[in-house]
Amino acid sequence: MELAKSFEPAAIEAHWYPLWESRGYFKAAADPAKPAYCIMLPPPNVTGTLHMGHAFQDTLMDTLVRYHRMKGENTLWQPGTDHAGIATQIVVERQLDQKGVSRHDLGREKFLERVWEWKEESGSTITRQMRRLGASCDWSRERFTMDEGLSKAVTEVFVKLYEQGLIYRGKRLVNWDPVLLTAVSDLEVISEEEDGFMWHIRYPVEDSDESLVVATTRPETMLGDMAVAVHPEDGRYRHLIGKHVRLPLCQRTIPVIADDYVDPAFGTGCVKITPAHDFNDYQVGQRHHLEPLSIFTLDAKINDLAPSAYQGLDRYEARKKIVADLEAEELLIETKPHKLMVPRGDRTHAVIEPMLTDQWYVAMEGLAKRGLEVVAQGEVKFVPENWTHVYNQWLENIQDWCISRQLWWGHRIPAWYDEDGNFYVAHSLEAAQQQAGADKKLRQDEDVLDTWFSSALWPFSTLGWPEKTPELDTFLPTSVLVTGFDIIFFWVARMVMMSEHFTGQVPFKEVYVHGLVRDMHGNKMSKSKGNVIDPIDLIDGIDLESLVAKRRTGLMNPKQAEAIAKQTRKDFPDGFPAFGTDAIRFTFASLASHGRDIKFDLQRCDGYRNFCNKLWNATRFVLMNTEDKDCGQDASLPLEFSDVDLWIVSRLQQAEKEVAEAFDTYRFDMAARAVYEFVWDEYCDWYVELAKVQINQGNEAQQRATRRTLVRVLEATLRLAHPIIPFITEELWQKVGPLAGKDGESIMLQPYPVADMGRVNEAANQQVALLKEMVNACRTLRGEMNLSPAMKVPLIALGDISALVPYLQALARISDVEIVQGELPAADAPVAVVGEIRLMLKIEVDKEAEQARLAKEIARLEGEIAKAQAKLSNESFVARAPAAVVAQEKERMENFGATVEKMRAQLERLK
């Protein structure tokens, strides 16, 4: 029964998690007798490490899973990791780079062996870290997007979509990363404003003295120009439509065409059209049957279709030479500084080049229509609801999905080519050979599928599809997807479309969209900013210099590294203390309000670590007062419950109701608040203190009832809090559970508390509310009279408070209570009013000394009020200071004013 004097989270966490996992508490069963509850873990990158976004999201998912498991539901949290094509290939290529080796030196087969080795070495890091966080996934079902079963599902989907005419191969303009040498999706391109130039170039009209002037931010692309476009209604150029202009620096002419795409009011009203290197120009080219001319190699050098003077030059070297040559030929009219949006790859930061390449596509129109319908019909609901609009907007404007990537790591496209260039889509080489004929020599497509293709199948492929499995029948549709808003397009919409198409069911009934975890200043966390927090460092603690060293790692710029070190020392002068997992989880839950980004503040962690200590110490008190004593287990012995006992049971019902409602509506912040306020404010600060009075002064039946209430309410509270703070509640429940008549191996296997509002006793609630007011009134009187907390003083009361006297004496440090009728005796002491009751401390007051003290304090406070007024009347302060600082200053001034009013009233009474 002995409980350690202080809460030491590390030892408790190390003890309980392996026991939970080894005993199979996390495992689900295909049990149709129980209602099913299932959450799919958004699969993290297999070579990744746990960051704050993961830790936040995993805490919310684990809280839901533990809650529903304790409710008796057949609960599956399906874990797994993603092969993360581009990200993983980059990591391994960089490792090889350090040894002076490229993937091409190794060849495809040897390179893939190296990636699999890396996956085996580092692939379990993130799942180990998830265990540190208390994640109760069914690890026995862990999947990997490139394991045999999921790869089979990927091939099946590709072949079926191709057979249905929904996958096709075509030459189109794509976002091309010239460093990775692969197509990337729009969602993997980050466009940011940068400083550049606008070059105005003269295009001479053929057989005329006239010229057209076009403006461009990318003069190198003019080598691929196929036309100059003007607006059909633009009177300045109408006479030139159908004529040709000489393309500067190139030995060819191009037509002048009319198209509504041109804005006659922008620039000169003339636009160069480069169909092979601009998405808008490509559309114009399609309308006017212009043949695209691609003038870049795949690594963004000028190819041999351009004039020989520029062939082989990098695109930016070519730009310099082209500008110089235009100037020399007097074809450059002017150069102006210009701000422009530059698209960069989110992995390499290389400037993305629109490139005409052969790629595989999924036709999205029909799939998107069904994706919109299931949300409109309420089969899939977004929480908060405003994200429905974002989802709809994307699907209503969807483009066909480019699914091929020019990488080696990933699911290789199941298509084979013969020597004539014909291709055969099949489940295997053997099946393709049957299609092609035995005499054809086949080679497989070199490309792999977009990582998000396999991720889109996650909800049903992990449950065994394409086989018909009991798990598919039991758990699809899953209950809820917990995700960030940033992958609604990448992942959420595609899962809806694929699941509907292949299983006829939605993948999940609800999508809970949470905010982004930002640093204490509200900035997005990133390695380049040096503000990343490792959740494991919060759990275990880290000293300042180790934290600084960690944040500087990998930064090439010494000035940037020093600035980051300086900011870190300012923000965290002592590093991070060891908060333990429960305090971090409680912090995450408390911050999870609907739809808001989260400023992560260490002070919150500190507050919730204190909460854990408070719960621990309260449990120690309960155990010390109930050990080896009758806690009401013997039904033959009488129990005499006080209003205080009935009140805490009433408050427990209310807390249970609030927490369940909060979890059911994904208000983790409200659930955390309800648990915190019940434990700290009601149970620890009030009930435990009031119970001491009953244990020390009550008769046997009253003491027995109090002990029973102490342990039973505490035991239910531990179960109530368990989904949020699993480790401390398990450790304490092992000691408290048996005293409350509970048996079982773990709190995880216990039923979740259910509110019984029939046990709410309004009369007891009113009595304790009155008692609280009286205690607080007495404490205020003591404060006003500047009495030492240790000093016991007598109280005079007008009104019948006899039943509450013992509690009042203990909690307000009252030596004895005199109850009078009619009116209070005339005295100089201040009086507190609580409803019909009047309270006065019976103490001799040195009038002159008290008047002098009050006058001095009033003068000091008036000085503070004057300072605050001066600040608030300063327009510069109000305009520049953060709104929170201005509000705080107003609040201080109001509080000072209220205190002064009270003191003036007291001073009047003394006079």
Side-chain angles (χ1 to χ4, degrees):
M1 192 62 68
E2 185 63 33
L3 193 63
K5 285 187 177 178
S6 59
F7 171 49
E8 300 295 342
I12 292 169
E13 292 162 19
H15 172 74
W16 280 112
Y17 194 91
L19 275 181
W20 289 335
E21 188 176 352
S22 63
R23 289 175 179 173
Y25 296 161
F26 305 159
K27 288 186 179 178
D31 181 358
K34 288 182 176 180
Y37 185 84
C38 179
I39 294 182
M40 290 281 160
L41 174 74
N45 289 359
V46 69
T47 54
T49 54
L50 195 77
H51 57 60
M52 289 293 276
H54 291 132
F56 175 55
Q57 183 171 272
D58 293 351
T59 294
L60 304 187
M61 284 186 281
D62 190 54
T63 297
L64 288 172
V65 163
R66 287 177 182 272
Y67 167 63
H68 284 275
R69 192 184 285 124
M70 290 177 78
K71 282 178 71 180
E73 294 170 28
N74 183 21
T75 303
L76 169 63
W77 186 8
Q78 173 64 54
T81 48
D82 192 280
H83 66 279
I86 290 176
T88 304
Q89 181 159 322
I90 286 174
V91 168
V92 179
E93 285 201 61
R94 281 177 183 161
Q95 289 176 346
L96 291 172
D97 215 25
Q98 289 169 0
K99 298 174 182 174
V101 179
S102 78
R103 67 179 161 114
H104 300 285
D105 296 333
L106 285 182
R108 186 171 192 142
E109 196 174 323
K110 290 285 183 192
F111 176 75
L112 290 178
E113 283 176 18
R114 291 295 290 268
V115 182
W116 278 105
E117 282 172 22
W118 169 242
K119 183 258 175 190
E120 293 308 314
E121 284 172 28
S122 303
S124 59
T125 300
I126 198 159
T127 53
R128 267 201 321 274
Q129 291 173 323
M130 282 182 66
R131 286 171 167 90
R132 290 294 315 276
L133 205 67
S136 60
C137 305
D138 185 348
W139 296 110
S140 68
R141 296 185 49 82
E142 185 178 352
R143 306 303 296 269
F144 174 51
T145 47
M146 281 181 63
D147 68 26
E148 189 180 344
L150 271 60
S151 296
K152 181 182 176 183
V154 167
T155 302
E156 179 70 14
V157 165
F158 188 98
V159 172
K160 278 196 171 174
L161 288 174
Y162 177 76
E163 289 171 351
Q164 293 162 359
L166 294 175
I167 279 183
Y168 63 91
R169 186 161 171 79
K171 187 183 275 293
R172 288 192 175 189
L173 213 55
V174 295
N175 297 308
W176 185 264
D177 187 317
V179 173
L180 283 177
L181 299 178
T182 182
V184 293
S185 76
D186 290 346
L187 305 168
E188 294 163 301
V189 177
I190 309 297
S191 292
E192 292 181 345
E193 190 176 73
E194 297 182 17
D195 289 325
F197 294 95
M198 183 75 82
W199 287 272
H200 293 252
I201 304 166
R202 186 163 62 83
Y203 286 49
V205 177
E206 183 84 334
D207 301 327
S208 166
D209 294 335
E210 291 185 82
S211 292
L212 293 178
V213 176
V214 302
T216 180
T217 58
R218 305 178 67 217
E220 64 279 10
T221 63
M222 67 179 287
L223 304 178
D225 283 1
M226 300 308 290
V228 172
V230 297
H231 194 276
E233 303 301 320
D234 192 335
R236 294 171 294 176
Y237 308 118
R238 197 179 292 138
H239 67 291
L240 296 176
I241 294 169
K243 295 195 173 184
H244 283 67
V245 293
R246 291 195 300 278
L247 182 60
L249 311 181
C250 301
Q251 302 303 310
R252 59 191 178 92
T253 63
I254 55 176
V256 179
I257 61 173
D259 197 281
D260 291 336
Y261 160 67
V262 180
D263 178 0
F266 182 77
T268 62
C270 302
V271 178
K272 62 192 273 310
I273 303 300
T274 320
H277 297 292
D278 182 276
F279 289 100
N280 291 320
D281 291 4
Y282 180 77
Q283 297 299 328
V284 174
Q286 293 282 295
R287 288 196 289 275
H288 294 271
H289 310 291
L290 301 173
E291 188 69 33
L293 176 67
S294 183
I295 51 98
F296 288 129
T297 61
L298 295 180
D299 58 351
K301 292 184 171 66
I302 306 298
N303 67 19
D304 55 8
L305 297 178
S308 58
Y310 309 109
Q311 289 174 15
L313 292 178
D314 172 80
R315 54 185 164 168
Y316 296 116
E317 290 172 18
R319 176 181 291 181
K320 288 178 189 172
K321 183 165 174 52
I322 286 166
V323 168
D325 290 351
L326 287 169
E327 206 161 14
E329 294 192 20
E330 297 183 347
L331 294 172
L332 184 66
I333 305 300
E334 63 177 331
T335 303
K336 290 181 177 178
H338 182 74
K339 287 194 180 296
L340 67 158
M341 299 302 288
V342 177
R344 293 183 180 271
D346 67 349
R347 297 286 177 188
T348 60
H349 303 294
V351 174
I352 295 297
E353 198 61 62
M355 197 79 78
L356 261 183
T357 56
D358 287 311
Q359 303 289 347
W360 291 91
Y361 292 87
V362 178
M364 298 304 291
E365 188 179 348
L367 295 169
K369 186 181 175 192
R370 185 67 190 129
L372 287 163
E373 283 172 3
V374 295
V375 171
Q377 291 161 5
E379 292 178 61
V380 176
K381 291 178 181 171
F382 282 84
V383 181
E385 198 179 356
N386 60 292
W387 291 109
T388 307
H389 174 68
V390 176
Y391 170 92
N392 288 344
Q393 201 172 33
W394 188 65
L395 284 188
E396 284 161 2
N397 298 285
I398 200 165
Q399 303 291 314
D400 284 358
W401 177 14
C402 175
I403 54 170
S404 45
R405 296 290 181 269
Q406 289 63 52
L407 303 170
W408 286 356
W409 174 244
H411 294 102
R412 199 160 170 184
I413 287 173
W416 284 263
Y417 297 84
D418 63 21
E419 288 160 317
D420 300 324
N422 302 310
F423 62 82
Y424 309 92
V425 171
H427 288 89
S428 63
L429 171 60
E430 292 74 23
Q433 197 75 61
Q434 281 185 342
Q435 290 181 39
D439 58 327
K440 299 274 188 179
K441 188 178 180 182
L442 301 181
R443 61 175 179 83
Q444 190 173 356
D445 196 306
E446 294 286 322
D447 292 353
V448 299
L449 286 163
D450 178 10
T451 298
W452 295 100
F453 189 88
S454 51
S455 301
L457 319 183
W458 188 250
F460 55 97
S461 63
T462 53
L463 297 175
W465 189 91
E467 309 302 326
K468 290 186 184 299
T469 65
E471 288 81 7
L472 262 176
D473 289 341
T474 303
F475 295 112
L476 194 74
T478 66
S479 306
V480 62
L481 179 75
V482 177
T483 185
F485 62 84
D486 50 337
I487 54 174
I488 289 175
F489 319 125
F490 274 114
W491 194 43
V492 179
R494 288 167 178 170
M495 281 191 288
V496 172
M497 291 184 279
M498 288 297 188
S499 185
E500 259 294 320
H501 191 73
F502 286 99
T503 72
Q505 297 191 78
V506 294
F508 27 73
K509 296 166 193 165
E510 293 184 299
V511 182
Y512 169 64
V513 183
H514 59 72
L516 187 73
V517 182
R518 297 180 176 273
D519 71 7
M520 61 194 289
H521 305 294
N523 299 315
K524 187 176 178 179
M525 291 189 187
S526 70
K527 285 183 181 176
S528 61
K529 287 180 181 170
N531 61 348
V532 170
I533 293 175
D534 182 341
I536 305 301
D537 289 341
L538 293 175
I539 292 169
D540 293 340
I542 186 171
D543 64 81
L544 175 62
E545 291 313 312
S546 299
L547 179 61
V548 168
K550 197 170 186 176
R551 288 183 160 191
R552 292 177 65 147
T553 302
L555 294 175
M556 307 303 289
N557 183 330
K559 279 187 178 178
Q560 183 192 18
E562 195 47 52
I564 283 168
K566 186 178 178 183
Q567 188 64 47
T568 301
R569 289 190 175 99
K570 182 182 175 186
D571 289 346
F572 310 110
D574 302 313
F576 304 156
F579 292 112
T581 297
D582 287 322
I584 302 308
R585 287 175 61 115
F586 212 140
T587 304
F588 281 134
S590 73
L591 291 168
S593 54
H594 275 189
R596 291 183 191 166
D597 282 354
I598 289 142
K599 276 189 189 178
F600 194 84
D601 188 348
L602 245 58
Q603 286 183 336
R604 285 258 197 168
C605 300
D606 211 30
Y608 291 116
R609 182 178 58 170
N610 292 341
F611 172 88
C612 291
N613 288 332
K614 184 99 166 175
L615 180 58
W616 186 272
N617 292 333
T619 304
R620 286 191 78 232
F621 165 79
V622 171
L623 293 175
M624 284 189 290
N625 283 277
T626 53
E627 188 180 6
D628 301 327
K629 293 184 176 72
D630 179 15
C631 295
Q633 293 97 329
D634 188 341
S636 66
L637 296 172
L639 293 164
E640 195 178 315
F641 294 102
S642 68
D643 280 341
V644 169
D645 298 326
L646 298 173
W647 161 77
I648 196 65
V649 170
S650 297
R651 275 297 291 114
L652 175 64
Q653 308 315 307
Q654 188 61 36
E656 289 171 352
K657 181 173 179 280
E658 288 172 10
V659 172
E661 286 174 354
F663 282 153
D664 291 341
T665 55
Y666 307 106
R667 289 305 303 263
F668 300 93
D669 55 333
M670 303 302 284
R673 182 193 293 178
V675 169
Y676 184 97
E677 289 179 353
F678 178 74
V679 171
W680 190 295
D681 299 346
E682 308 290 29
Y683 188 80
C684 295
D685 277 3
W686 285 102
Y687 183 67
V688 166
E689 296 306 313
L690 296 167
K692 290 175 185 176
V693 176
Q694 297 180 166
I695 287 171
N696 292 327
Q697 298 180 33
N699 61 38
E700 279 190 25
Q702 289 169 340
Q703 290 181 27
R704 190 179 298 113
T706 298
R707 285 194 293 269
R708 177 187 168 101
T709 306
L710 272 170
V711 294
R712 292 204 169 199
V713 170
L714 178 57
E715 188 277 335
T717 302
L718 295 173
R719 285 184 285 127
L720 188 70
H722 176 76
I724 301 175
I725 46 174
F727 290 107
I728 189 173
T729 50
E730 179 72 272
E731 182 74 11
L732 297 179
W733 186 87
Q734 294 292 326
K735 308 289 193 295
V736 175
L739 289 173
K742 302 284 183 183
D743 54 9
E745 292 180 352
S746 168
I747 193 172
M748 283 185 65
L749 308 179
Q750 299 300 309
Y752 199 71
V754 177
D756 177 0
M757 300 315 284
R759 299 185 71 190
V760 174
N761 188 310
E762 286 302 336
N765 287 351
Q766 288 173 17
Q767 187 75 334
V768 174
L770 177 64
L771 171 60
K772 283 182 173 184
E773 279 192 73
M774 288 168 59
V775 169
N776 289 331
C778 289
R779 288 171 176 170
T780 302
L781 290 175
R782 295 179 66 101
E784 286 177 0
M785 298 181 74
N786 216 19
L787 300 178
S788 160
M791 180 182 174
K792 284 194 171 188
V793 294
L795 176 75
I796 302 172
L798 175 63
D800 184 10
I801 63 164
S802 52
L804 304 177
V805 165
Y807 303 114
L808 208 50
Q809 286 180 293
L811 273 67
R813 306 289 291 164
I814 302 297
S815 56
D816 60 82
V817 177
E818 179 188 345
I819 297 174
V820 299
Q821 302 300 323
E823 58 182 52
L824 291 172
D828 298 324
V831 174
V833 179
V834 179
E836 300 296 318
I837 295 162
R838 303 288 184 272
L839 303 171
M840 183 173 72
L841 296 180
K842 191 178 178 181
I843 188 167
E844 289 297 322
V845 177
D846 181 337
K847 277 191 181 183
E848 288 186 13
E850 184 63 7
Q851 283 178 339
R853 184 189 74 78
L854 286 169
K856 185 178 177 184
E857 185 62 9
I858 288 167
R860 185 188 73 79
L861 291 173
E862 284 175 338
E864 293 293 334
I865 290 168
K867 283 183 199 170
Q869 281 175 333
K871 270 188 183 180
L872 293 168
S873 60
N874 182 336
E875 289 180 12
S876 174
F877 168 77
V878 173
R880 292 183 183 180
V885 173
V886 176
Q888 187 180 20
E889 202 61 34
K890 285 180 181 174
E891 190 181 349
R892 281 180 75 235
M893 190 171 76
E894 286 167 9
N895 290 342
F896 288 147
T899 306
V900 165
E901 287 305 309
K902 283 183 184 176
M903 288 187 164
R904 283 197 177 124
Q906 215 171 318
L907 196 57
E908 283 304 310
R909 281 199 301 271
L910 287 171
K911 288 177 180 176

